[in-house]
Amino acid sequence: MPVFETQRLILLPRTLADTNDCLAMDSDPEVTRFVVGPWGDRLKHRAFVESRTLGDYPAGMGYWTVRSRADPTDFLGWVLLIPTDTSGPEIEIGWRLPRKAWGSGIATEAARTVLQHAFATLDVPEVVAEIDARNFGSMRVAEKLGLIRREEVVHEGKLRIRYTVRRPN
């Protein structure tokens, strides 16, 4: 997987060395309140993060750890580009940031870079995102990225808004 740099950020392929940062971020109930996961069970949570990190994704896809260019030790979350539910056939984009990074444009800046990679390098025809209907911050990020609200769906018992964007011609 490639490394990306933006004006403020470095996006690195996520490794097991990032696990503790991910676990610390996810331990904030505000960060995970719209996401179904094993957040309350430390062992299952660690196993989940590690399995996602080591997932067998198509070439050029996976999770990127987002760090500050000014301080590369500063963990600012992650962005993913993977087959939906890890098996596809659609390709999804997603992001999670610690609260300290909210409202700063970091999610948009990082995800825009990964989205451009999906279209320009991987030639993905369409990217989707399913966002909890109460997660207005993530919906704003999706819209800033050019994703279009398509429909409401129920996934894992939660109402979600399905967004899509097609590769530019």
Side-chain angles (χ1 to χ4, degrees):
M1 283 181 27
V3 171
F4 301 113
E5 290 193 32
T6 70
Q7 182 178 349
R8 300 181 293 166
L9 308 172
I10 301 170
L11 283 73
L12 302 157
R14 188 162 94 185
T15 69
L16 291 177
D18 300 312
T19 301
N20 287 336
D21 286 329
C22 292
L23 295 173
M25 174 180 65
D26 291 349
S27 72
D28 180 346
E30 282 298 303
V31 170
T32 57
R33 77 179 180 149
F34 299 121
V35 185
V36 175
W39 319 131
D41 182 317
R42 290 174 51 177
L43 293 177
K44 287 181 181 176
H45 186 186
R46 178 174 289 280
F48 175 79
V49 170
E50 290 177 352
S51 72
R52 286 296 186 105
T53 299
L54 298 173
D56 185 23
Y57 305 114
M61 293 187 194
Y63 283 75
W64 284 266
T65 294
V66 180
R67 297 198 176 271
S68 166
R69 282 184 68 178
D71 179 3
T73 65
D74 190 11
F75 177 80
L76 298 174
W78 53 255
V79 176
L80 65 79
L81 182 72
I82 63 173
T84 52
D85 295 324
T86 70
S87 60
E90 297 173 308
I91 303 302
E92 72 172 304
I93 191 166
W95 47 87
R96 187 172 309 149
L97 281 66
R99 218 184 312 185
K100 70 179 183 180
W102 293 1
S104 61
I106 289 172
T108 305
E109 186 176 332
R112 180 174 287 124
T113 300
V114 171
L115 189 59
Q116 290 168 344
H117 166 69
F119 292 143
T121 305
L122 302 179
D123 205 30
V124 172
E126 182 178 62
V127 173
V128 303
E130 282 189 10
I131 300 170
D132 187 290
R134 301 165 296 160
N135 191 342
F136 300 114
S138 277
M139 287 190 279
R140 279 192 299 277
V141 171
E143 291 164 3
K144 287 179 188 177
L145 294 170
L147 280 82
I148 306 295
R149 184 182 181 136
R150 299 291 183 195
E151 62 185 328
E152 294 180 355
V153 296
V154 176
H155 188 97
E156 296 178 340
K158 303 251 186 198
L159 179 63
R160 296 178 183 235
I161 308 300
R162 182 177 173 81
Y163 286 84
T164 64
V165 64
R166 291 193 156 282
R167 180 182 60 235
N169 292 331

